Amino acid sequence: MIKVSERPCSSLPLNPTGEQDNYMYLVIEERTRDAVAVDAAVPKRLLEIVRREEVVLRAVLTTHHHWDHARGNEELARLCPGLRVYGADERIGALTHKVAPNEELTFGAIHVRCLFTPCHTSGHMCYFMWEDGSPDAPALFSGDTLFVGGCGKFFEGTAEQMYTNLTQVLGALPKETKVFCGHECTVRNLKFALKVEPENEAVKKKLAWAKQRDDDDLPTVPSTLQEEFLYNPFLRVTEEAVQKFTGKTEPVEVLRALRTEKDNFKKPKERPHPQAVLAFDWGLFSPFLEKK
């Protein structure tokens, strides 16, 4: 049985997209109590979880070289002699094993297929995991390629590449696959999805659920691939409503237009802290403001 322990890395400094919403994951092989980390960005916190779960960290799988996903590799390699660090990009810190597209790894009973998804970065790799004979659904660790309700920015690639990633590589996986993505950005993604398809009931329902989870400070991952096809506009580029929104019909052009619209989509304003509002109301900041 595979156990996945996920934790938001809220202690991270700003990442390349300006957010503090990263996820790192610890995958535990229950029989051997061996563990594999995915995007181990916060070493201290990860090792605390390793100790709490009483497991042995054997390897790190890094989806891409961005600092908010790979920054902990060097420290982990120093603290855990013999640790294997896998990835597809030489820019990944402490890399010991460079993996190839469709290469398969095994960690005890856990099988990992490396799925090459260049676009967000030129060396982005997703990891598809399953265990033979297990009734549990397989898991996809999609990094910054596929999010709940969205996809990653095209920093080092093209719309053509992302279309291939979403349709032929990830989209072809079993529909029950659980999607563990690299960021908690579901609410923002689904607000954009609702703009694209205002009549889509699946979007409305998922957005309401995600807002409640967000209010309760709970994660919205994982989703399933089957669910993503219902509300993720980047997986729905052949739908009439999505094509109407973009003014395009050719799937790659629809995807390209969607990404441009999403990049320009207004982010929700952060709500000021209520105590800060009271402080302003009471004039507590006046002495500091007057000095300036």
Side-chain angles (χ1 to χ4, degrees), residues 87-287:
D89 195 322
E90 296 288 355
R91 293 172 290 181
I92 292 171
L95 185 70
T96 63
H97 294 71
K98 187 174 181 180
V99 294
N102 295 314
E103 182 175 348
E104 292 199 3
L105 313 171
T106 56
F107 302 95
I110 299 174
H111 298 269
V112 182
R113 183 178 302 138
C114 303
L115 302 177
F116 191 45
T117 54
C119 183
H120 183 71
T121 67
S122 60
H124 196 291
M125 189 71 77
C126 296
Y127 299 100
F128 178 66
M129 295 191 190
W130 74 96
E131 186 175 5
D132 289 338
S134 173
D136 298 327
L140 171 67
F141 296 90
S142 57
D144 285 7
T145 294
L146 175 65
F147 298 127
V148 180
C151 77
K153 291 186 176 183
F154 305 172
F155 284 133
E156 298 179 3
T158 65
E160 287 81 2
Q161 287 178 314
M162 186 59 81
Y163 180 72
T164 297
N165 295 340
L166 297 180
T167 59
Q168 298 178 30
V169 181
L170 304 186
L173 296 174
K175 295 300 182 285
E176 69 273 17
T177 299
K178 294 181 179 180
V179 178
F180 294 90
C181 55
H183 292 271
E184 178 60 60
C185 49
T186 302
V187 170
R188 187 166 68 253
N189 287 343
L190 291 173
K191 285 182 177 180
F192 175 71
L194 190 62
K195 180 181 178 182
V196 177
E197 293 187 273
E199 303 304 319
N200 187 324
E201 293 299 323
V203 174
K204 295 177 185 178
K205 183 177 179 180
K206 187 71 174 183
L207 177 56
W209 174 85
K211 284 180 175 178
Q212 185 61 57
R213 298 283 292 183
D214 193 53
D215 289 343
D216 294 338
D217 198 26
L218 294 172
T220 62
V221 298
S223 64
T224 68
L225 197 57
Q226 185 171 28
E227 292 173 349
E228 292 300 316
F229 278 101
L230 298 178
Y231 51 67
N232 189 328
F234 296 93
L235 289 173
R236 295 173 56 79
V237 293
T238 59
E239 295 293 326
E240 183 179 353
V242 179
Q243 294 183 350
K244 182 179 179 181
F245 174 81
T246 61
K248 309 289 184 181
T249 56
E250 200 280 320
V252 172
E253 294 306 316
V254 175
L255 184 64
R256 193 191 318 276
L258 278 176
R259 185 65 261 175
T260 299
E261 289 288 337
K262 179 62 164 62
D263 290 343
N264 296 323
F265 185 61
K266 186 176 180 181
K267 294 182 179 180
K269 292 182 179 179
E270 292 186 6
R271 289 174 292 182
H273 195 284
Q275 291 180 348
V277 174
L278 287 175
F280 273 108
D281 288 345
W282 294 343
L284 299 182
F285 290 129
S286 297

Side-chain angles (χ1 to χ4, degrees), residues 5-12 20-26 37 39-53 57 71-72 75-76 79 217:
S5 176
E6 70 271 0
R7 294 292 185 274
C9 305
S10 56
S11 60
L12 274 176
Q20 291 183 328
D21 54 16
N22 283 74
Y23 278 105
M24 63 180 175
Y25 298 95
L26 187 67
D39 285 351
V42 186
K44 182 178 179 182
R45 190 169 186 183
L46 175 65
L47 293 177
E48 287 174 355
I49 298 171
V50 165
R51 286 191 290 269
R52 186 192 68 201
E53 297 285 346
L57 182 64
R71 61 164 283 197
E75 185 175 351
L76 283 172
L79 295 173
D217 198 26

Side-chain angles (χ1 to χ4, degrees), residues 11-68:
S11 60
L12 274 176
L14 294 181
N15 66 32
T17 57
E19 304 298 333
Q20 291 183 328
D21 54 16
N22 283 74
Y23 278 105
M24 63 180 175
Y25 298 95
L26 187 67
V27 182
I28 300 169
E29 210 275 15
E30 293 281 29
R31 181 178 57 83
T32 63
R33 304 303 294 169
D34 284 345
V36 178
V38 181
D39 285 351
V42 186
K44 182 178 179 182
R45 190 169 186 183
L46 175 65
L47 293 177
E48 287 174 355
I49 298 171
V50 165
R51 286 191 290 269
R52 186 192 68 201
E53 297 285 346
E54 298 182 332
V55 298
V56 179
L57 182 64
R58 298 294 186 187
V60 172
L61 306 178
T62 305
T63 59
H64 61 294
H65 79 277
H66 282 164
W67 190 70
D68 58 321

